Amino acid sequence: MTPEAFEWEKPLAELERRIAELRSFSEEKGIDLSGEIATLEERAVALRQEIYRNLTPWQRVQIARHPRRPTALDYISRICDDFIELHGDRTFRDDPAVVGGIGLLDGIPVTIIGTQKGRDTKENLARNFGLPHPEGFRKAMRLARQAEKFGRPVVTLIDIVGAYPGIEAEERGQGLVIAESIRTFSVLRTPVVCAITGEAGSGGALAIGVGDRVLMMEYAWHSVISPEGCASILWKDAGRAPEAAAALRLTAEECLRLGVVDEILPEPPGGAHRDPDKAAAVLKEALVRHIAELLPIPPDELVRQRQERYRHHRSRPHWQMPPGPASAPAATGE
Amino acid sequence: MPGESRHSEGGFFNNLFRSRPRYVTVQPRSAPVEAPAAGEPSLTAVPVRRDERGRPVYGREVPDGLWTKCEACGQILYTKELAKNLYVCYRCQAHQRISARERLNQILDQGLEEEFDADLVGGDPLQFPEYQEKLRQAREKTQLVEAVVCGRGRIEDEPVCVGVLDFAFMGGSMGWAVGEKVARLFDRATAASLPVIIFSSGGGGARMQEGVVSLMQMATTTQAIARFSAAGGLYIAVLTDPTMGGIYASFGSLGDVILAEPGARIGFTGPRVIEQTIRQKLPAGFQTAEFLLKNGMVDAVVDRREMRRFLARLLRLHRKRGEWCDSRSIRVGEAPR
Ligand SMILES: [Zn+2]
């Protein structure tokens, strides 16, 4: 079963259909068409490469939003040998837009926290389309501190357009909780590896996106605002989102160039939804590798390096930054 | 950093209220601001103006025009009277937006005694359409180099490090330079053991034109506050109209004490986006300072005409244990950490 194709994939889908036709025809009639089939298959490979090499930023955003793109729980079930989900922020309620718990990752106990989109309309309504309320971020903070206490590394899986924009969310301090979450992850005395698996927009993404390493899947996007939001603020026209997507430089490659992410995780041809197992295997390998690198670093040094990472992005092609005034020792508590 | 080491080393808080040095020693900046790499567009075109004593001049003089209209009640106000009332409408008490310069003049004893990083500018990391032109216009309009002015001064003789955002400069939004200036303000204050006060008024918060780079400034500023706080520093956040988005969701929210001006709009998501999402009108008073006070998100709503006095009282109430023990001849015990 091929998942529903995007508009720009139509020529490829058409080619694949013809190959399948030829194949069944040759089997039915017992005629050898292997030469023709091989030629077409070669063309399909070339066409696929051509299409995915030249994707526009907006097309990448579409892939990141594909309804069948693997969610946090899809990845967790594939990368963990064991996983126990833990619920609630201990203050208000359990936010279904954020999932978290403890899992075994290649033998290493880790706390995994992710934003959770639904896989269909019903689930999306229950999950609030993966848009957390303040209690969701509070749950994330609680689980992160719990991991710190037991010396477990923390993995965050990020797929979020932004924090939920609603009346109750504001009443309960959406902005304040995001700030507190950024602070919590900034001073956490245990390794934190963040993986942007889909969308990563605004402070909502950063609330669980501050870590020692930030990894980004090939077709994920990461920016200060969604392309639609940017277009409607800047040009009063959300329809110009494709333009905004290009202007915001939100692709994995650009984020790597800007020093905001450390590694791009390649996706299966056509996107993670075409082969979730393969996408999960790539994710798992990278997570384990980075955690193994971070585990030997003493907590004080870890926190210092993490804060240094944000202050002095490793690649700053557009400006040079002078060292600031006498740098204070890294904060290690709150 | 354990508390006693600060005391034994005669940390600043110890002698702050005893010897009252005329000037506070602040770590000098060691490195000059480097120009952007060759081939990159330079945004350093704005020379810092200085007065006859060599101090940087930030912002314009008091606004022009004999009359000012109050946006809240529609009353036409005599600008001179309005200025005397600290730009609070003398009919309806609405607090008008004021420039960074005006704010510093209102709050500090003698304005800024030293401005920090006056010439620090960022780049155009995304080569964003029209960004450089917008920056140029903002600089021309406000006579500021960037959207925040940082430095140190005194409030009723109490020395403080202070930062003020100016809404007139691209909505007081935070790009790389604003984030870096705020982070350096906290780093300097940590080194000098001075309290920090920031007046945040930054419309949309993070500056869209710097994309993900401006988003990272939420982390940069937050981490500088975490270091400052771990060293025992006092940070007072004053939220003025408007404080939204990435600024509210970073240094705007992390004060030991959070104050707000009456009627100020404060929140994370802008009201238009919320209305579009939930498809209903927002209740009256939503996201105002008073709304936040009711919901437990700020400590106090303080009238602008009381602000200076209020801040001075707060600063004095935060004297370290050593100082007030001393004055009452109580043996100094170790302060809890
Ligand atoms: Zn009025």
Side-chain angles (χ1 to χ4, degrees):
Chain A
M1 270 300 291
T2 351
E4 51 275 54
F6 290 110
E7 193 55 41
W8 66 84
E9 292 176 317
K10 290 276 160 70
L12 183 62
E14 172 63 24
L15 201 56
E16 279 170 344
R17 195 182 54 78
R18 270 176 56 202
I19 293 169
E21 263 177 21
L22 273 187
R23 214 174 251 137
S24 66
F25 181 80
S26 112
E27 270 168 31
E28 261 172 49
K29 309 278 173 175
I31 308 169
D32 180 23
L33 293 172
S34 56
E36 284 88 339
I37 292 175
T39 314
L40 285 182
E41 276 178 336
E42 261 171 48
R43 266 176 56 194
V45 168
L47 186 60
R48 179 177 290 126
Q49 279 180 352
E50 173 79 12
I51 289 174
Y52 287 99
R53 203 175 33 234
N54 297 313
L55 284 179
T56 63
W58 181 241
Q59 285 170 333
R60 286 166 181 269
V61 170
Q62 301 311 301
I63 297 178
R65 289 175 179 171
H66 193 284
R68 288 202 219 162
R69 192 162 177 91
T71 65
L73 287 175
D74 292 328
Y75 283 119
I76 290 171
S77 66
R78 285 173 171 83
I79 64 177
C80 286
D81 301 320
D82 189 12
F83 180 73
I84 295 175
E85 189 175 349
L86 302 172
H87 292 274
D89 73 336
R90 301 294 186 269
T91 303
F92 187 69
R93 65 157 195 159
D94 184 46
D95 189 339
V98 174
V99 294
I102 313 169
L104 261 190
L105 187 68
D106 204 20
I108 309 169
V110 294
T111 286
I112 305 189
I113 301 160
T115 47
Q116 179 66 29
K117 288 183 180 172
R119 278 158 284 202
D120 51 45
T121 311
K122 190 169 156 245
E123 219 181 61
N124 252 324
L125 286 172
R127 297 278 181 193
N128 199 31
F129 297 86
L131 303 171
H133 280 73
E135 51 271 24
F137 297 119
R138 258 190 236 111
K139 170 157 92 177
M141 282 189 266
R142 177 178 81 82
L143 295 178
R145 290 201 190 100
Q146 187 192 58
E148 179 184 51
K149 174 179 172 186
F150 294 103
R152 283 192 295 270
V154 176
V155 169
T156 69
L157 302 176
I158 303 163
D159 185 9
I160 170 180
V161 192
Y164 182 64
I167 294 178
E168 295 86 2
E170 292 291 318
E171 280 174 347
R172 297 200 286 273
Q174 190 73 287
L176 193 138
V177 168
I178 289 171
E180 287 184 338
S181 193
I182 293 171
R183 182 172 61 187
T184 299
F185 281 90
S186 291
V187 300
L188 209 66
R189 294 165 60 81
T190 193
V192 182
V193 180
C194 309
I196 299 170
T197 61
E199 309 187 76
S202 104
L206 197 64
I208 57 162
V210 172
D212 303 296
R213 301 275 198 281
V214 181
L215 319 177
M216 187 165 175
M217 289 206 165
E218 190 177 354
Y219 300 123
W221 69 263
H222 185 23
S223 190
V224 69
I225 189 170
S226 72
E228 292 88 345
C230 175
S232 67
I233 290 176
L234 219 54
W235 303 306
K236 313 275 176 255
D237 179 6
R240 288 172 73 180
E243 228 176 301
L248 285 171
R249 302 199 186 251
L250 43 62
T251 65
E253 214 169 286
E254 294 279 9
C255 286
L256 185 71
R257 184 182 67 81
L258 290 164
V260 168
V261 305
D262 304 286
E263 184 178 335
I264 299 176
L265 307 180
E267 292 189 32
H273 61 278
R274 294 206 171 234
D275 191 347
D277 289 339
K278 203 169 165 194
V282 171
L283 174 66
K284 180 178 181 175
E285 184 278 325
L287 290 174
V288 171
R289 175 162 43 83
H290 284 287
I291 288 172
E293 272 175 34
L294 294 166
L295 276 172
I297 305 174
D300 285 342
E301 178 59 17
L302 190 71
V303 172
R304 196 194 63 75
Q305 285 181 15
R306 188 183 308 143
Q307 297 188 5
E308 188 77 0
R309 180 188 178 281
Y310 286 86
R311 193 70 183 277
H312 303 270
H313 288 156
R314 264 157 289 182
S315 67
R316 292 184 312 276
H318 288 279
W319 60 82
Q320 289 293 312
M321 203 182 64
S327 214
T332 50
E334 281 179 54
Chain B
M1 190 190 289
E4 78 270 29
S5 72
R6 270 203 326 282
H7 286 249
S8 59
E9 282 160 27
F12 190 80
F13 282 112
N14 246 358
N15 54 34
L16 177 53
F17 304 95
R18 262 185 262 145
S19 54
R20 292 198 186 283
R22 187 77 189 92
Y23 289 102
V24 178
T25 323
V26 175
Q27 295 275 2
R29 267 258 311 291
S30 47
V33 177
E34 290 170 41
E40 303 297 347
S42 168
L43 296 179
T44 38
V46 182
V48 177
R49 295 180 304 147
R50 295 184 183 276
D51 65 12
E52 62 282 0
R53 288 166 60 191
R55 296 183 307 186
V57 176
Y58 44 87
R60 278 196 191 287
E61 287 289 351
V62 177
D64 15 81
L66 200 55
W67 303 96
T68 308
K69 187 180 169 190
C70 173
E71 297 292 338
C73 70
Q75 174 86 359
I76 306 292
L77 305 164
Y78 187 43
T79 307
K80 255 191 186 159
E81 283 301 311
L82 185 62
K84 230 186 262 172
N85 207 32
L86 306 187
Y87 295 89
V88 176
C89 173
Y90 47 77
R91 182 170 180 237
C92 76
Q93 315 305 319
H95 287 48
Q96 323 269 327
R97 284 178 192 157
I98 56 174
S99 68
R101 182 194 179 94
E102 170 64 23
R103 176 78 64 183
L104 288 164
N105 287 343
Q106 288 184 11
I107 293 297
L108 298 175
D109 295 351
Q110 297 163 2
L112 280 187
E113 287 164 29
E114 185 191 347
E115 188 183 350
F116 299 149
D117 304 304
D119 48 3
L120 186 74
V121 292
D124 185 3
L126 311 188
Q127 308 280 290
F128 200 93
E130 292 162 42
Y131 181 35
Q132 301 196 40
E133 178 55 22
K134 279 186 180 160
L135 270 177
R136 199 190 57 73
Q137 287 170 4
R139 283 173 183 155
E140 201 170 286
K141 185 175 80 172
T142 60
Q143 293 293 309
L144 294 168
V145 177
E146 254 297 346
V148 70
V149 176
C150 296
R152 71 179 172 78
R154 278 153 204 279
I155 300 174
E156 294 190 1
D157 273 346
E158 308 288 343
V160 288
C161 285
V162 59
V164 186
L165 284 144
D166 196 313
F167 184 77
F169 194 105
M170 295 193 73
S173 58
M174 171 164 67
W176 177 83
V178 169
E180 180 62 20
K181 280 177 87 165
V182 169
R184 288 185 190 190
L185 180 69
F186 280 101
D187 283 350
R188 282 170 200 277
T190 309
S193 297
L194 281 175
V196 174
I197 302 175
I198 294 186
F199 294 85
S200 55
S201 53
R207 190 175 294 167
M208 213 160 43
Q209 288 85 348
E210 290 187 28
V212 75
V213 172
S214 62
L215 185 68
M216 293 304 121
Q217 301 317 309
M218 293 170 67
T220 309
T221 52
T222 297
Q223 291 165 2
I225 294 171
R227 293 190 293 269
F228 173 75
S229 193
L234 163 69
Y235 167 38
I236 303 172
V238 187
L239 312 181
T240 65
D241 186 61
T243 302
M244 302 293 291
I247 288 186
Y248 180 54
S250 60
F251 59 87
S253 287
L254 295 171
D256 297 295
V257 179
I258 306 177
L259 309 178
E261 278 198 336
R265 176 172 287 281
I266 303 157
F268 182 62
T269 310
R272 215 162 44 98
V273 175
I274 296 177
E275 278 185 345
Q276 282 166 5
T277 308
I278 64 175
R279 294 174 202 288
Q280 64 186 73
K281 279 271 163 221
L282 296 171
F286 179 68
Q287 287 184 329
T288 56
E290 294 75 13
F291 170 92
L292 267 80
L293 183 69
K294 192 193 84 183
N295 289 316
M297 300 299 160
V298 298
D299 289 290
V301 175
V302 181
D303 189 291
R304 186 178 293 163
R305 291 157 296 187
E306 303 296 323
M307 187 64 82
R308 177 177 148 81
R309 181 95 195 97
F310 196 94
L311 289 171
R313 283 165 58 208
L314 258 182
L315 290 171
R316 281 192 281 269
L317 288 170
H318 277 84
R319 283 180 186 181
K320 292 278 154 146
R321 184 183 279 198
E323 293 147 23
W324 45 262
C325 278
D326 249 21
S327 65
R328 294 175 59 90
S329 314
I330 302 171
R331 200 174 60 81
V332 184
E334 190 176 332
R337 290 284 300 164

